[in-house]
Amino acid sequence: MTASLLDNHPLPVAARERSPLARDYARVRGHSLALAGPLSAEDQCVQSMPDASPTKWHLAHTSWFFEAFVLQPHAPGYRAFDPRFGHLFNSYYEALGPRHERPRRGLLTRPSQTEVLAYRRHVDDAMHTLMAAGAMESQPALQTLVVLGLQHEQQHQELLLTDILHAFWCNPLLPAYEAVEPPMLRLAQPREPIRWLAHAGGIEHVGHDGEGFAFDNETPRHAVLLQPFEIADRLVTCGEYAAFIADGGYRRASLWLSDGWALVQQQGWQAPAYWLQGDDPRLGPGRDAAMWHVFGLGGAHPMDPLTPVTQLSLYEAAAYAEWAGARLPTEFEWEAASRAHGTRLRQQTGHAWQWTRSSYDPYPGFRALPGAVGEYNGKFMVGQVVLRGGSLATPEGHARPTYRNFFPPAARWQFSGLRLARDSTSC
Amino acid sequence: MTASLLDNHPLPVAARERSPLARDYARVRGHSLALAGPLSAEDQCVQSMPDASPTKWHLAHTSWFFEAFVLQPHAPGYRAFDPRFGHLFNSYYEALGPRHERPRRGLLTRPSQTEVLAYRRHVDDAMHTLMAAGAMESQPALQTLVVLGLQHEQQHQELLLTDILHAFWCNPLLPAYEAVEPPMLRLAQPREPIRWLAHAGGIEHVGHDGEGFAFDNETPRHAVLLQPFEIADRLVTCGEYAAFIADGGYRRASLWLSDGWALVQQQGWQAPAYWLQGDDPRLGPGRDAAMWHVFGLGGAHPMDPLTPVTQLSLYEAAAYAEWAGARLPTEFEWEAASRAHGTRLRQQTGHAWQWTRSSYDPYPGFRALPGAVGEYNGKFMVGQVVLRGGSLATPEGHARPTYRNFFPPAARWQFSGLRLARDSTSC
Amino acid sequence: MTASLLDNHPLPVAARERSPLARDYARVRGHSLALAGPLSAEDQCVQSMPDASPTKWHLAHTSWFFEAFVLQPHAPGYRAFDPRFGHLFNSYYEALGPRHERPRRGLLTRPSQTEVLAYRRHVDDAMHTLMAAGAMESQPALQTLVVLGLQHEQQHQELLLTDILHAFWCNPLLPAYEAVEPPMLRLAQPREPIRWLAHAGGIEHVGHDGEGFAFDNETPRHAVLLQPFEIADRLVTCGEYAAFIADGGYRRASLWLSDGWALVQQQGWQAPAYWLQGDDPRLGPGRDAAMWHVFGLGGAHPMDPLTPVTQLSLYEAAAYAEWAGARLPTEFEWEAASRAHGTRLRQQTGHAWQWTRSSYDPYPGFRALPGAVGEYNGKFMVGQVVLRGGSLATPEGHARPTYRNFFPPAARWQFSGLRLARDSTSC
Amino acid sequence: MTASLLDNHPLPVAARERSPLARDYARVRGHSLALAGPLSAEDQCVQSMPDASPTKWHLAHTSWFFEAFVLQPHAPGYRAFDPRFGHLFNSYYEALGPRHERPRRGLLTRPSQTEVLAYRRHVDDAMHTLMAAGAMESQPALQTLVVLGLQHEQQHQELLLTDILHAFWCNPLLPAYEAVEPPMLRLAQPREPIRWLAHAGGIEHVGHDGEGFAFDNETPRHAVLLQPFEIADRLVTCGEYAAFIADGGYRRASLWLSDGWALVQQQGWQAPAYWLQGDDPRLGPGRDAAMWHVFGLGGAHPMDPLTPVTQLSLYEAAAYAEWAGARLPTEFEWEAASRAHGTRLRQQTGHAWQWTRSSYDPYPGFRALPGAVGEYNGKFMVGQVVLRGGSLATPEGHARPTYRNFFPPAARWQFSGLRLARDSTSC
């Protein structure tokens, strides 16, 4: 297990004697509450589309995960906080019974946010009791479940942010989640060219190697054969993407995958999901009408041409790459480049998930985990596309080079951008 | 103007000197807040279907009505609380500019419930200032607008209840709006037969006669020619309706209007909207599985066979009447019977709106009010059906015998029931 | 029974000895085939929207009507042509069992058009045998069923035309049903003003009086009380309607009923259903780009400003009337004016059905026919609007002043236009 | 280029002198007509769902392909048969202008089937003139376009059959396309076990090697690294699939991919697309109610347990494999096994396309063809799954081991089945 999942929350004094796992537990769980901090009870209840969930639901569901997979099967005498919560807060585990319909999560004004916090405390108390009793040391499989629960919660921490951002985007008042946008590494200079990092191809081993935590979809580690390729040392910026728009990128069918072009026309896409023209009435008066604005966690602000572009669908990422005379990397090229080039492959994480040109298929020899937890990843392995890296909303320490994030190609509400690749010209 | 719109709220001492209109204003506006009282901020934000609105939106929209129609045109120096609120809280007045889309009202977590209350106070202060300045006395048209705003708010008071009830119905926890269901007049004895009140037909005058407030759709008062008919002295009860269900009412196409039968099959209707079988998991253990339960403002409770049935569509009301060998009254029969029989026509209001067999068409010579307020009623006069009477959710004093409530025939989330009628056998 | 339903088809010699009813039967049935004449087997199979039916289906369904209601119950020894056809060609009679889904009628490439013609002959032979046997004379109820079947077939003759016209409208080649558009009575001069025909109001009797055939929905005849009104002596013309368009009629919300305005925006309505701008690519080169064109049974042609406008929804008719400072007549005003003014009320039929401002509600004392045939009209009496008169596609002799045609207010594929009315100014 | 594409049509005498390409052209084009032979003009016009096209449209579109890509750019003096046909019969080539909407192809009763045949002759005459003029010999790129057009037509020959089969499936009469079902290789004995063919894995070269025709999506040929695996020597049979059904295969969520399980529930899937229970009313009387029946080109017949199962979605294929303790092969395993085992890998083609567990992604270094024809394959490379092999509807000579067929995972109207694979146990 990784030594520490999150280091950005101070420990309460009383927790000094806790085991490393219990400290990780406390940190991760506390971080979820911290993320919900700027949000009112009303904000925490809203669901702005079927794919997004309310903050409160995230807080409850991640607690239910520990209750359903750890406490109820493994904690002697544990009593569920409310037996009806399994129905409300199960996400998609068929093996654990029927569920409240996903698109109707926003209707759950009850239980209240206060009750959900009590639910979290109830689960946390039982978890700490279980961990303090030494159950983990004697049962490695149980410890693995707890770590899975924490990694699961970290995934929901990112979703909590992307989902509330979508909800705020649907509000004509364009509320800001926080006063200041999280900083993104900007390019040092406006016209800094891409540096292409070369890889000679050949046999590479990809997937998780067994040390530290990984999701089942990263296994088994296996060999793949790559062609020589080059990959950009940095992400595509908002400024570069604006040039694509200005050059008619959203009006030229020849740049687009067929399903993407259909969406461009049906939905009237003209820019990434949260971009606004400067004369949009939601921005209020006094803006430069000719300037793109971008809505983010810190509210709407003028587009910064030097930061990575986000809120792209796979279709937009691929169309941009086509326009730029390049292509998207495969997920294995990305992973091989990460190992080969280390920090020279800049902006690997902390900015934007990076669409790859790899559909989300199972690795050779893939086996889902046994039991209900086996539904975690495997059953989604069709119709989705892999993203690699990590975003500004990904909790620190959560991502790794073998990590396989995945979304349908039309998804735009994530912090999803792109890094270019191309075939090696000298081969 | 009516002397008093609502008498069930005590007056604050400081308001003793207010004009009758100002006292009415204070009472009506206070009643909206009282209705929102049992609801958390989360509850007040939710929208469970496009036809329903959040409580918070009702509170804000009714304030916007005074702001847009009274204060901004008529109160010198009035400053809007927030110029963006017109966009958010205009309901359907095309003449007043674009609006936030109706199905997305539930996404407005901001402005918060607290801000909406501040908005109400801002409007109330300005209204009281305007009324105290004697503007009403010198401008009867202005006074009419204020009264219209109060009547409008009373309509939203009923919707506030029906809409939150629908939201709670969508929650598997089936929360209760209030601890005790509002009392409904029950029949004195289980098998009390309907008494048929006869009317000889002939020329009757219907519509509002000019004294006291009425909506424009109740005018002009005009003569109609009725055939002899009989009308039931009371509403159809839950017990009677359960007999219709037990007799296969929802499985016999011959009883139904065509559009209604299509809905029965598409939606799987088997009972009124909020009825549950006793073994429904939402009811929890310990219920009589063979007994219908009804969800209402007081939560779920065993069906009371002696109370009026509600939550019916026009289709269900008409199918029941067909099954019972009777029919629905026309809106003019209802109105004539109300005048002719007075209190012998029991349960006219306070229990359930009563579907009539009259489509919602304009009266001869109908003219909508001039200006934006003319959109109030007239533009909805097609595709809807008239209900007469008043329900347990109708504010006291709001209904009158000439009142024309209207909903599409498929609507089931209102407190809508029925009263039988039939052609006179002896004519 | 009317002496003759249709006189425009010559009698075959062998039919000289037939009874008047049998001669009517032969004429009406022959007219359906004549209407299908210009259409290929392919044309006769297509269904361009759920509300429209293929020609072949009309030909088969009208035969099934005689088979199901006359031959099977009343013709001794009758054998169904194909027992599976009841499933395919029942339209909406629940009492007669399950049916092929309405929106999928166009998928029935089998039975072929040839087989459907054989089906018609099979039914016709049996019907003539039955009629020749004198069954009608001894059984008036049976004779009524046959007449109903013929009236039913005439209704489908009109639908056959409106449905194929819609299908051809959906074809970018804009095929013409026939070489020459059926003539419509044009105004004598371009600017001929409307003459307003006055009616003093008072008690009028409306509905069918018992002589000759009428549908059940025209009964019972009953007295109504009318206010004084005036009605236009002619229909609104294309030229007048074009002025409404040019004056921004489709861009001014204040003219429209709410549901209609929503459709204008959702569907992008800018003109009646089959109007095209002169530069529409479907018209091909050489047209005057500034001139409206109208697609009709004779194909696309320049709009004739002197002919009645058709292909209007109720919403458009009502918006035009509002724009013109008038209103639509009620169905009773229309009927009373027809009786009072006779031919001075020009263009009553033969041009366009005329939207009224009356929802399609049952008459006082209305009773549907007993048995399955009772589903003919009654079960549609909600959510629809009455049209009076008759159109260029209505078979000769089919319409009468008490006739109540009805369609949902959004329907545009019929030959539906309007005649203005207004309250009497001098009363 | 392959020496001959199709050998099953006799040559007309006059064509004896034609070049091999011209003879291939004549054979392929003639085969399309032969396939349309059993269908009436009505049958050829129908479109039963947006993904399917009418026979007539297939016949016209394949002609348009030659007109648009060969004749108009390359045949001097060629005159289009009808300039409007480009709009009607372009399928999805954005570079060639706007198109008739795909879901409305069934509305094109005009041009008639007769006109479409004349269109084919017009194109064929021009093509033969062009080929006779020796244009191909001097322009290899032009020859490649002609061959592409023939391969394209062969793809539509398969679709013509699958599309009309779907249309007939939607007809309650269940018409047969032909009197006798095309023979499928049956297993020699009822319980013949699968023989597992082993492959040691390692580096394999996949993709087209440059000899003979291939589509661009089969290139570039490249090396892949395979793990050791085993593959079934035959397809899964209807009898085996029926055992899966009987064992609750359609009721056990744990066997299914998530999107597949959602479809099972939404669509009520209980068996492959064209299976019927013996008591289905469409089968008529006299069937064994307990026996599955299968609808195919020869009509409905009792399920033959020894023939390959078809009409499966990817979801069903994958669920079956999971139930059987196996998995689907990847497309590269399939291709490697085809090369390694030759005819021991039975039923490679001629029976059913075989779903693989490979999403349809571009090969490393893939480049679409230049110009409009580059839209042929590349723009569909996301959201689809690869099938390998070939079906009973695939024209003889059309398939090859590198062929990549692809459909969305939910597609069921193709002749799509499966072959099992598994990881090598001894490695």
Side-chain angles (χ1 to χ4, degrees), chain A residues 403-414:
Chain A
Y403 200 104
R404 305 177 79 198
N405 199 356
F406 57 90
F407 277 95
R412 302 175 98 204
W413 89 108
Q414 296 297 304

Side-chain angles (χ1 to χ4, degrees), chain A residues 396-420:
Chain A
E396 200 180 325
H398 181 67
R400 60 198 153 264
T402 61
Y403 200 104
R404 305 177 79 198
N405 199 356
F406 57 90
F407 277 95
R412 302 175 98 204
W413 89 108
Q414 296 297 304
F415 291 101
S416 46
L418 78 151
R419 174 190 302 280
L420 296 177

Side-chain angles (χ1 to χ4, degrees), chain A residues 152-181:
Chain A
H152 169 259
E153 181 137 359
Q154 289 186 309
Q155 293 185 309
H156 280 275
Q157 287 166 356
E158 175 147 12
L159 293 173
L160 185 156
L161 289 174
T162 58
D163 292 358
I164 195 66
L165 186 60
H166 186 270
F168 282 172
W169 171 251
C170 296
N171 189 324
L173 303 182
L174 292 183
Y177 167 76
E178 56 195 350
V180 182
E181 192 82 11

